[in-house]
Amino acid sequence: MRRKTAKLTLIAASALVLCACGVDGKIGDYGDTTVYSEPKPNSNGGVSNDPVGTLTTLSKVTVSCYTKVNGFGFYKISYSGGSGYIDDSTSIMSDDGEVRPAKVPKC
């Protein structure tokens, strides 16, 4: 019985760690990707706050969640040097293919 409990505890802990980490990937766009502090879209679909960083093609990111604000989608990411939000039209490639909103939890 103890062995079975230990095994289930290990499996549950592993699942918790995987959920907390997010989806690792790389920026797949062929240009600069702006990172914003908040997901605040303006009426044109652009973002109405100041950028906190810029990522280039193949920059490594971890996508922690997805959110929609006023009909516009954003991924919450972390990367070497910071964290923030990027537009959901940004191509992010993971080992399992392109990251889509359904592949990450909602914020």
Side-chain angles (χ1 to χ4, degrees):
M1 180 72 170
R2 250 190 262 171
R3 204 177 224 184
K4 198 174 204 178
T5 303
K7 188 174 182 179
L8 288 174
T9 302
L10 180 61
I11 290 170
S14 297
L16 183 60
V17 168
L18 287 175
C19 291
C21 292
V23 177
D24 291 328
K26 294 180 181 178
I27 299 294
D29 288 341
Y30 294 98
D32 292 343
T33 298
T34 304
V35 181
Y36 297 95
S37 60
E38 299 178 58
K40 291 173 62 177
N42 61 29
S43 60
N44 297 335
V47 181
S48 61
N49 62 17
D50 294 328
V52 294
T54 303
L55 301 173
T56 59
T57 302
L58 300 181
S59 294
K60 293 181 182 181
V61 297
T62 299
V63 181
S64 58
C65 61
Y66 175 79
T67 189
K68 272 197 149 188
V69 179
N70 296 332
F72 298 99
F74 297 90
Y75 292 111
K76 183 174 184 181
I77 62 159
S78 57
Y79 57 96
S80 176
S83 63
Y85 292 84
I86 59 174
D87 185 281
D88 69 353
S89 66
T90 303
S91 175
I92 305 169
M93 300 305 295
S94 73
D95 288 343
D96 295 327
E98 188 165 5
V99 174
R100 297 276 183 225
K103 289 187 175 184
V104 295
K106 291 183 180 179
C107 297

